[in-house]
mmCIF file of all heavy atoms in Angstrom:
data_model
loop_
_atom_site.group_PDB
_atom_site.id
_atom_site.type_symbol
_atom_site.label_atom_id
_atom_site.label_comp_id
_atom_site.label_asym_id
_atom_site.label_seq_id
_atom_site.Cartn_x
_atom_site.Cartn_y
_atom_site.Cartn_z
ATOM 1 N N ALA A 1 106.263 97.411 72.384
ATOM 2 C CA ALA A 1 106.160 96.002 72.570
ATOM 3 C C ALA A 1 107.243 95.585 73.634
ATOM 4 O O ALA A 1 108.401 95.799 73.409
ATOM 5 C CB ALA A 1 106.455 95.269 71.310
ATOM 6 N N PRO A 2 106.806 95.254 74.851
ATOM 7 C CA PRO A 2 105.380 94.867 75.266
ATOM 8 C C PRO A 2 104.521 95.996 75.569
ATOM 9 O O PRO A 2 103.312 95.869 75.662
ATOM 10 C CB PRO A 2 105.672 94.050 76.472
ATOM 11 C CG PRO A 2 106.919 94.597 77.081
ATOM 12 C CD PRO A 2 107.783 95.023 75.909
ATOM 13 N N GLY A 3 104.996 97.228 75.661
ATOM 14 C CA GLY A 3 104.185 98.405 75.891
ATOM 15 C C GLY A 3 104.159 98.766 77.373
ATOM 16 O O GLY A 3 104.470 98.033 78.279
ATOM 17 N N ILE A 4 103.750 100.066 77.584
ATOM 18 C CA ILE A 4 103.629 100.683 78.940
ATOM 19 C C ILE A 4 102.403 100.116 79.685
ATOM 20 O O ILE A 4 101.327 100.114 79.089
ATOM 21 C CB ILE A 4 103.672 102.150 78.842
ATOM 22 C CG1 ILE A 4 104.977 102.628 78.204
ATOM 23 C CG2 ILE A 4 103.480 102.833 80.229
ATOM 24 C CD1 ILE A 4 104.979 104.146 78.011
ATOM 25 N N ASN A 5 102.612 99.835 80.922
ATOM 26 C CA ASN A 5 101.454 99.415 81.794
ATOM 27 C C ASN A 5 100.825 100.695 82.414
ATOM 28 O O ASN A 5 101.197 101.087 83.527
ATOM 29 C CB ASN A 5 101.985 98.447 82.909
ATOM 30 C CG ASN A 5 100.905 98.020 83.872
ATOM 31 O OD1 ASN A 5 99.695 98.098 83.540
ATOM 32 N ND2 ASN A 5 101.312 97.804 85.108
ATOM 33 N N TYR A 6 99.927 101.236 81.661
ATOM 34 C CA TYR A 6 99.353 102.501 82.088
ATOM 35 C C TYR A 6 98.414 102.272 83.359
ATOM 36 O O TYR A 6 97.732 101.230 83.370
ATOM 37 C CB TYR A 6 98.461 103.142 81.017
ATOM 38 C CG TYR A 6 99.349 103.744 79.930
ATOM 39 C CD1 TYR A 6 99.409 103.192 78.615
ATOM 40 C CD2 TYR A 6 99.992 104.949 80.154
ATOM 41 C CE1 TYR A 6 100.165 103.811 77.649
ATOM 42 C CE2 TYR A 6 100.738 105.530 79.165
ATOM 43 C CZ TYR A 6 100.815 104.912 77.905
ATOM 44 O OH TYR A 6 101.573 105.573 76.968
ATOM 45 N N GLY A 7 98.462 103.150 84.250
ATOM 46 C CA GLY A 7 97.582 102.994 85.433
ATOM 47 C C GLY A 7 96.183 103.557 85.133
ATOM 48 O O GLY A 7 95.935 104.079 84.053
ATOM 49 N N ILE A 8 95.333 103.477 86.118
ATOM 50 C CA ILE A 8 93.934 103.921 85.914
ATOM 51 C C ILE A 8 93.923 105.361 85.632
ATOM 52 O O ILE A 8 92.937 105.838 84.970
ATOM 53 C CB ILE A 8 93.171 103.607 87.166
ATOM 54 C CG1 ILE A 8 91.693 103.805 86.986
ATOM 55 C CG2 ILE A 8 93.625 104.371 88.411
ATOM 56 C CD1 ILE A 8 90.817 103.344 88.123
ATOM 57 N N ASP A 9 94.932 106.184 86.025
ATOM 58 C CA ASP A 9 94.975 107.582 85.709
ATOM 59 C C ASP A 9 94.915 107.855 84.215
ATOM 60 O O ASP A 9 94.333 108.851 83.739
ATOM 61 C CB ASP A 9 96.161 108.265 86.305
ATOM 62 C CG ASP A 9 96.178 108.098 87.829
ATOM 63 O OD1 ASP A 9 95.081 107.959 88.372
ATOM 64 O OD2 ASP A 9 97.281 108.212 88.418
ATOM 65 N N PHE A 10 95.541 106.968 83.468
ATOM 66 C CA PHE A 10 95.740 107.224 82.039
ATOM 67 C C PHE A 10 94.895 106.332 81.148
ATOM 68 O O PHE A 10 94.673 106.688 80.033
ATOM 69 C CB PHE A 10 97.204 107.021 81.671
ATOM 70 C CG PHE A 10 98.117 107.938 82.324
ATOM 71 C CD1 PHE A 10 99.162 107.492 83.171
ATOM 72 C CD2 PHE A 10 98.002 109.261 82.203
ATOM 73 C CE1 PHE A 10 100.042 108.397 83.832
ATOM 74 C CE2 PHE A 10 98.822 110.201 82.790
ATOM 75 C CZ PHE A 10 99.910 109.782 83.608
ATOM 76 N N ARG A 11 94.452 105.172 81.566
ATOM 77 C CA ARG A 11 93.653 104.392 80.723
ATOM 78 C C ARG A 11 92.150 104.383 81.075
ATOM 79 O O ARG A 11 91.298 103.821 80.363
ATOM 80 C CB ARG A 11 94.198 102.978 80.699
ATOM 81 C CG ARG A 11 94.221 102.235 82.056
ATOM 82 C CD ARG A 11 94.932 100.886 81.874
ATOM 83 N NE ARG A 11 95.235 100.318 83.168
ATOM 84 C CZ ARG A 11 94.396 99.579 83.900
ATOM 85 N NH1 ARG A 11 93.200 99.295 83.402
ATOM 86 N NH2 ARG A 11 94.739 98.999 85.046
ATOM 87 N N GLY A 12 91.791 104.986 82.252
ATOM 88 C CA GLY A 12 90.467 104.987 82.667
ATOM 89 C C GLY A 12 90.054 103.692 83.392
ATOM 90 O O GLY A 12 90.664 102.629 83.131
ATOM 91 N N GLY A 13 89.025 103.714 84.166
ATOM 92 C CA GLY A 13 88.543 102.532 84.876
ATOM 93 C C GLY A 13 88.168 102.835 86.307
ATOM 94 O O GLY A 13 87.998 104.023 86.721
ATOM 95 N N VAL A 14 88.034 101.798 87.078
ATOM 96 C CA VAL A 14 87.597 101.943 88.500
ATOM 97 C C VAL A 14 88.757 101.417 89.409
ATOM 98 O O VAL A 14 89.316 100.366 89.139
ATOM 99 C CB VAL A 14 86.281 101.172 88.770
ATOM 100 C CG1 VAL A 14 85.874 101.248 90.192
ATOM 101 C CG2 VAL A 14 85.195 101.699 87.874
ATOM 102 N N ASP A 15 88.963 102.198 90.442
ATOM 103 C CA ASP A 15 89.918 101.830 91.459
ATOM 104 C C ASP A 15 89.211 101.626 92.771
ATOM 105 O O ASP A 15 88.655 102.555 93.323
ATOM 106 C CB ASP A 15 90.938 102.988 91.588
ATOM 107 C CG ASP A 15 92.280 102.546 92.061
ATOM 108 O OD1 ASP A 15 92.473 101.291 92.198
ATOM 109 O OD2 ASP A 15 93.115 103.391 92.326
ATOM 110 N N ALA A 16 89.248 100.408 93.352
ATOM 111 C CA ALA A 16 88.518 100.164 94.644
ATOM 112 C C ALA A 16 89.481 99.677 95.643
ATOM 113 O O ALA A 16 90.425 98.799 95.370
ATOM 114 C CB ALA A 16 87.537 99.000 94.304
ATOM 115 N N GLN A 17 89.366 100.139 96.792
ATOM 116 C CA GLN A 17 90.210 99.789 98.007
ATOM 117 C C GLN A 17 89.376 99.010 98.952
ATOM 118 O O GLN A 17 88.305 99.419 99.408
ATOM 119 C CB GLN A 17 90.761 101.016 98.667
ATOM 120 C CG GLN A 17 91.766 100.676 99.793
ATOM 121 C CD GLN A 17 92.356 101.867 100.446
ATOM 122 O OE1 GLN A 17 92.727 102.822 99.751
ATOM 123 N NE2 GLN A 17 92.528 101.843 101.781
ATOM 124 N N ILE A 18 89.806 97.774 99.320
ATOM 125 C CA ILE A 18 89.140 96.880 100.211
ATOM 126 C C ILE A 18 89.895 96.737 101.457
ATOM 127 O O ILE A 18 91.146 96.454 101.447
ATOM 128 C CB ILE A 18 89.025 95.501 99.539
ATOM 129 C CG1 ILE A 18 88.195 95.604 98.227
ATOM 130 C CG2 ILE A 18 88.341 94.480 100.459
ATOM 131 C CD1 ILE A 18 88.225 94.352 97.378
ATOM 132 N N GLY A 19 89.270 96.937 102.563
ATOM 133 C CA GLY A 19 89.941 96.757 103.876
ATOM 134 C C GLY A 19 89.384 95.469 104.612
ATOM 135 O O GLY A 19 88.184 95.282 104.649
ATOM 136 N N VAL A 20 90.329 94.681 105.066
ATOM 137 C CA VAL A 20 89.936 93.489 105.810
ATOM 138 C C VAL A 20 90.277 93.681 107.289
ATOM 139 O O VAL A 20 91.422 94.053 107.649
ATOM 140 C CB VAL A 20 90.698 92.277 105.299
ATOM 141 C CG1 VAL A 20 90.357 91.006 106.001
ATOM 142 C CG2 VAL A 20 90.426 92.088 103.773
ATOM 143 N N LYS A 21 89.358 93.472 108.140
ATOM 144 C CA LYS A 21 89.474 93.769 109.491
ATOM 145 C C LYS A 21 90.430 92.792 110.175
ATOM 146 O O LYS A 21 90.578 91.612 109.722
ATOM 147 C CB LYS A 21 88.175 93.809 110.186
ATOM 148 C CG LYS A 21 87.255 94.870 109.690
ATOM 149 C CD LYS A 21 85.871 94.877 110.420
ATOM 150 C CE LYS A 21 85.086 96.045 109.865
ATOM 151 N NZ LYS A 21 83.705 96.103 110.483
ATOM 152 N N PRO A 22 91.123 93.117 111.365
ATOM 153 C CA PRO A 22 92.035 92.310 112.103
ATOM 154 C C PRO A 22 91.344 90.957 112.468
ATOM 155 O O PRO A 22 90.148 90.970 112.892
ATOM 156 C CB PRO A 22 92.390 93.061 113.314
ATOM 157 C CG PRO A 22 92.224 94.510 112.952
ATOM 158 C CD PRO A 22 91.064 94.520 111.960
ATOM 159 N N GLY A 23 92.032 89.856 112.316
ATOM 160 C CA GLY A 23 91.405 88.535 112.617
ATOM 161 C C GLY A 23 90.779 87.827 111.479
ATOM 162 O O GLY A 23 90.527 86.660 111.494
ATOM 163 N N ALA A 24 90.417 88.587 110.458
ATOM 164 C CA ALA A 24 89.789 87.958 109.253
ATOM 165 C C ALA A 24 90.777 87.896 108.088
ATOM 166 O O ALA A 24 90.845 88.731 107.224
ATOM 167 C CB ALA A 24 88.673 88.889 108.806
ATOM 168 N N ASN A 25 91.818 87.076 108.247
ATOM 169 C CA ASN A 25 92.866 86.918 107.268
ATOM 170 C C ASN A 25 92.358 86.493 105.930
ATOM 171 O O ASN A 25 91.522 85.527 105.810
ATOM 172 C CB ASN A 25 93.941 85.994 107.837
ATOM 173 C CG ASN A 25 95.142 86.006 106.932
ATOM 174 O OD1 ASN A 25 95.628 87.144 106.618
ATOM 175 N ND2 ASN A 25 95.658 84.877 106.665
ATOM 176 N N LEU A 26 92.810 87.147 104.883
ATOM 177 C CA LEU A 26 92.341 86.860 103.529
ATOM 178 C C LEU A 26 93.596 86.742 102.631
ATOM 179 O O LEU A 26 94.452 87.678 102.522
ATOM 180 C CB LEU A 26 91.457 88.000 102.904
ATOM 181 C CG LEU A 26 91.013 87.805 101.518
ATOM 182 C CD1 LEU A 26 90.171 86.522 101.330
ATOM 183 C CD2 LEU A 26 90.117 89.023 101.033
ATOM 184 N N ASP A 27 93.726 85.529 101.964
ATOM 185 C CA ASP A 27 94.882 85.357 101.066
ATOM 186 C C ASP A 27 94.605 86.030 99.757
ATOM 187 O O ASP A 27 93.585 85.994 99.205
ATOM 188 C CB ASP A 27 95.038 83.820 100.840
ATOM 189 C CG ASP A 27 96.307 83.512 100.017
ATOM 190 O OD1 ASP A 27 97.378 83.447 100.683
ATOM 191 O OD2 ASP A 27 96.197 83.356 98.789
ATOM 192 N N ILE A 28 95.639 86.742 99.286
ATOM 193 C CA ILE A 28 95.462 87.600 98.032
ATOM 194 C C ILE A 28 95.166 86.703 96.880
ATOM 195 O O ILE A 28 94.441 87.088 95.944
ATOM 196 C CB ILE A 28 96.800 88.423 97.763
ATOM 197 C CG1 ILE A 28 96.496 89.366 96.571
ATOM 198 C CG2 ILE A 28 97.938 87.556 97.476
ATOM 199 C CD1 ILE A 28 97.527 90.345 96.397
ATOM 200 N N SER A 29 95.716 85.445 96.816
ATOM 201 C CA SER A 29 95.402 84.613 95.588
ATOM 202 C C SER A 29 93.882 84.190 95.660
ATOM 203 O O SER A 29 93.318 84.100 94.550
ATOM 204 C CB SER A 29 96.260 83.319 95.715
ATOM 205 O OG SER A 29 96.049 82.568 96.819
ATOM 206 N N VAL A 30 93.357 84.005 96.803
ATOM 207 C CA VAL A 30 91.899 83.711 96.889
ATOM 208 C C VAL A 30 91.032 84.881 96.379
ATOM 209 O O VAL A 30 90.132 84.724 95.553
ATOM 210 C CB VAL A 30 91.535 83.267 98.283
ATOM 211 C CG1 VAL A 30 89.985 83.051 98.454
ATOM 212 C CG2 VAL A 30 92.315 82.042 98.717
ATOM 213 N N LEU A 31 91.424 86.074 96.842
ATOM 214 C CA LEU A 31 90.769 87.285 96.408
ATOM 215 C C LEU A 31 90.898 87.488 94.919
ATOM 216 O O LEU A 31 89.930 87.823 94.225
ATOM 217 C CB LEU A 31 91.282 88.436 97.216
ATOM 218 C CG LEU A 31 90.749 89.845 96.836
ATOM 219 C CD1 LEU A 31 89.178 89.925 96.921
ATOM 220 C CD2 LEU A 31 91.409 90.963 97.558
ATOM 221 N N ARG A 32 92.119 87.339 94.474
ATOM 222 C CA ARG A 32 92.369 87.578 93.028
ATOM 223 C C ARG A 32 91.520 86.578 92.189
ATOM 224 O O ARG A 32 90.955 86.983 91.134
ATOM 225 C CB ARG A 32 93.867 87.354 92.675
ATOM 226 C CG ARG A 32 94.243 87.731 91.300
ATOM 227 C CD ARG A 32 95.742 87.614 91.022
ATOM 228 N NE ARG A 32 96.461 88.742 91.627
ATOM 229 C CZ ARG A 32 97.330 88.637 92.601
ATOM 230 N NH1 ARG A 32 97.685 87.413 93.059
ATOM 231 N NH2 ARG A 32 97.959 89.659 93.043
ATOM 232 N N ASN A 33 91.510 85.374 92.573
ATOM 233 C CA ASN A 33 90.759 84.368 91.763
ATOM 234 C C ASN A 33 89.271 84.638 91.826
ATOM 235 O O ASN A 33 88.609 84.509 90.783
ATOM 236 C CB ASN A 33 91.012 82.922 92.266
ATOM 237 C CG ASN A 33 92.450 82.479 91.995
ATOM 238 O OD1 ASN A 33 93.090 82.918 91.059
ATOM 239 N ND2 ASN A 33 92.896 81.621 92.841
ATOM 240 N N ALA A 34 88.787 85.094 92.923
ATOM 241 C CA ALA A 34 87.383 85.399 93.130
ATOM 242 C C ALA A 34 86.938 86.563 92.261
ATOM 243 O O ALA A 34 85.907 86.664 91.610
ATOM 244 C CB ALA A 34 87.007 85.599 94.575
ATOM 245 N N VAL A 35 87.808 87.647 92.281
ATOM 246 C CA VAL A 35 87.529 88.931 91.556
ATOM 247 C C VAL A 35 87.664 88.652 90.061
ATOM 248 O O VAL A 35 86.764 89.043 89.282
ATOM 249 C CB VAL A 35 88.418 89.994 92.009
ATOM 250 C CG1 VAL A 35 88.260 91.221 91.155
ATOM 251 C CG2 VAL A 35 88.076 90.386 93.434
ATOM 252 N N GLU A 36 88.725 87.940 89.646
ATOM 253 C CA GLU A 36 88.944 87.733 88.156
ATOM 254 C C GLU A 36 87.972 86.861 87.577
ATOM 255 O O GLU A 36 87.633 86.959 86.396
ATOM 256 C CB GLU A 36 90.352 87.214 88.021
ATOM 257 C CG GLU A 36 91.453 88.216 88.203
ATOM 258 C CD GLU A 36 92.784 87.600 88.027
ATOM 259 O OE1 GLU A 36 92.954 86.385 87.811
ATOM 260 O OE2 GLU A 36 93.830 88.408 87.953
ATOM 261 N N ALA A 37 87.292 85.957 88.393
ATOM 262 C CA ALA A 37 86.311 85.073 87.806
ATOM 263 C C ALA A 37 85.070 85.921 87.366
ATOM 264 O O ALA A 37 84.352 85.555 86.436
ATOM 265 C CB ALA A 37 85.896 84.070 88.895
ATOM 266 N N LYS A 38 84.794 86.991 88.070
ATOM 267 C CA LYS A 38 83.635 87.875 87.736
ATOM 268 C C LYS A 38 84.005 89.105 86.949
ATOM 269 O O LYS A 38 83.194 89.740 86.387
ATOM 270 C CB LYS A 38 82.867 88.171 88.999
ATOM 271 C CG LYS A 38 82.264 86.993 89.756
ATOM 272 C CD LYS A 38 81.528 87.485 91.001
ATOM 273 C CE LYS A 38 80.910 86.337 91.653
ATOM 274 N NZ LYS A 38 79.776 85.713 90.925
ATOM 275 N N LEU A 39 85.377 89.552 87.066
ATOM 276 C CA LEU A 39 85.773 90.784 86.420
ATOM 277 C C LEU A 39 87.019 90.501 85.733
ATOM 278 O O LEU A 39 88.164 90.785 86.240
ATOM 279 C CB LEU A 39 85.944 91.833 87.511
ATOM 280 C CG LEU A 39 85.996 93.339 87.053
ATOM 281 C CD1 LEU A 39 84.681 93.662 86.412
ATOM 282 C CD2 LEU A 39 86.219 94.224 88.240
ATOM 283 N N PRO A 40 87.040 89.875 84.542
ATOM 284 C CA PRO A 40 88.299 89.521 83.827
ATOM 285 C C PRO A 40 89.143 90.762 83.580
ATOM 286 O O PRO A 40 88.628 91.823 83.211
ATOM 287 C CB PRO A 40 87.755 88.917 82.491
ATOM 288 C CG PRO A 40 86.385 88.479 82.847
ATOM 289 C CD PRO A 40 85.860 89.369 83.841
ATOM 290 N N GLY A 41 90.467 90.504 83.703
ATOM 291 C CA GLY A 41 91.422 91.687 83.456
ATOM 292 C C GLY A 41 91.651 92.472 84.653
ATOM 293 O O GLY A 41 92.507 93.458 84.621
#
């Protein structure tokens, strides 16, 4: 308590890497909100 924050190596799941090309600036908060709305957690 609170417990170890296990990575994907130990708890299983999907790890995705997204590349944004130069000139197409993307704010992380916008991306986070968009992803979490469809993929909670």
Side-chain angles (χ1 to χ4, degrees):
I4 297 175
N5 176 28
Y6 286 109
I8 190 175
D9 299 338
F10 297 121
R11 57 185 169 87
V14 176
D15 205 7
Q17 182 176 323
I18 301 168
V20 180
K21 297 181 179 180
N25 189 45
L26 177 62
D27 187 82
I28 187 172
S29 61
V30 174
L31 174 61
R32 184 177 288 119
N33 292 334
V35 171
E36 288 182 348
K38 295 180 176 293
L39 199 62

